[in-house]
């Protein structure tokens, strides 16, 4: 069901490539807006848009900038909403499935502050509640927005690159598979793995050691 819906969406984007940046902005906004990101399959859609970039259907720069902007505004809106309605109203309206992540987020945020917002964007359960936690615990606007903007600048290419690289490799290997292309693909995988190994200690510390090994 989800696969069919995602495929239909990708087909629609192909037919309306001029709207690629606007669509990407909306998806990134929904992916970053608290709670909504759990309901909307935004991650799969962003991977699909990345694949369309890899096939040459979409211009990468406007789409990338739109993804960053949508991520920034989504988190910022959640933060402003939490500050406006207060902690009690946030807890009252949280879905039951989010309350454990919210409580955990409060503990992590009080310990790590700025880093909890920054790293939280890259961790699914925390991403859904991090802006809310920042708002209700009184994090300053400047500190929150700096973490919000910097994390979005890194997050957007990470969301789009897998689909883009996969589609590009599929095109290359489908036409003339050669040792150089395969070697470059393997080198890219190794670099990504090494980068993850460098990043894992930071993520593990912020998440309280709950990352899978």
């Amino acid at each position: 069901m989800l696969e069919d819906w995602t495929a239909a969406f990708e087909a629609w984007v192909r037919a309306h490539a001029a709207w690629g940046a606007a669509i990407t902005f909306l998806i990134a906004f929904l992916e970053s807006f608290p709670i909504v990101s759990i309901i909307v399959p935004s991650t799969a859609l962003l991977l699909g848009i990345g694949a369309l970039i890899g096939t040459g259907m979409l211009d990468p720069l406007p789409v990338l900038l739109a993804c960053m902007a949508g991520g920034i505004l989504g988190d910022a809106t959640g933060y402003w909403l939490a500050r406006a309605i207060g902690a009690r109203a946030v807890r009252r309206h949280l879905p039951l499935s989010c309350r454990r992540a919210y409580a955990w987020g409060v503990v992590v945020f009080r310990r790590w502050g700025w880093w909890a917002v920054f790293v939280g964007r890259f961790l699914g359960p925390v991403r859904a509640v991090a802006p809310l936690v920042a708002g209700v615990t009184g994090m300053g606007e400047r500190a929150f927005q700096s973490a919000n903007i910097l994390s979005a600048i890194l997050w957007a290419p990470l969301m789009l690159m897998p689909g883009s690289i996969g589609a590009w490799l599929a095109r290359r290997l489908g036409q003339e598979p050669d040792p150089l292309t395969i070697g470059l693909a393997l080198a890219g995988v190794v670099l990504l793995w090494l980068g993850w190994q460098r990043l894992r200690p930071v993520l593990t510390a912020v998440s309280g050691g709950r990352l899978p090994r």
Side-chain angles (χ1 to χ4, degrees):
M1 180 72 176
L2 177 60
E3 292 79 3
D4 294 340
W5 192 86
T6 303
F9 170 81
E10 291 180 10
W12 188 87
V13 174
R14 287 177 183 271
H16 302 82
W19 291 87
I23 295 168
T24 304
F25 174 88
L26 177 61
I27 296 171
F29 176 86
L30 295 176
E31 173 70 4
S32 301
F33 191 79
I35 313 304
V36 176
S37 60
I38 299 175
I39 304 171
V40 179
S42 307
T43 300
L45 298 179
L46 289 175
L47 291 174
I49 287 178
L52 295 179
I53 293 175
T55 60
M57 294 291 298
L58 296 177
D59 189 355
L61 183 58
V63 170
L64 178 61
L65 294 176
C67 190
M68 291 178 185
I72 291 169
L73 188 59
D75 267 20
T77 303
Y79 169 79
W80 293 328
L81 179 64
R83 293 192 65 173
I85 66 177
R88 182 174 299 179
V90 168
R91 289 194 296 267
R92 186 187 312 126
H93 292 92
L94 273 178
L96 290 176
S97 60
C98 296
R99 291 184 181 179
R100 178 176 296 180
Y102 173 82
W104 179 44
V106 170
V107 173
V108 172
F109 180 83
R110 286 175 177 168
R111 180 176 180 184
W112 294 97
W114 189 93
W115 282 105
V117 177
F118 181 87
V119 178
R121 186 184 292 278
F122 303 93
L123 302 175
V126 180
R127 182 170 64 244
V129 296
L132 297 178
V133 175
V136 301
T137 54
M139 186 177 191
E141 178 87 23
R142 181 177 298 179
F144 174 81
Q145 296 299 351
S146 64
N148 177 27
I149 293 170
L150 289 174
S151 63
I153 290 173
L154 294 177
W155 171 80
L158 288 176
M159 294 298 295
L160 297 173
M161 274 197 304
S164 300
I165 294 173
W168 180 82
L169 287 175
R171 291 177 64 192
R172 295 291 300 172
L173 294 175
Q175 294 172 357
E176 295 180 4
D178 60 86
L180 178 59
T181 302
I182 296 174
L184 289 174
L186 292 175
V189 171
V190 171
L191 289 175
L192 289 174
W193 182 83
L194 290 175
W196 168 246
Q197 293 303 311
R198 294 292 298 272
L199 188 61
R200 175 186 285 274
V202 177
L203 296 179
T204 302
V206 173
S207 62
R210 288 181 170 84
L211 285 179
R213 295 187 180 278

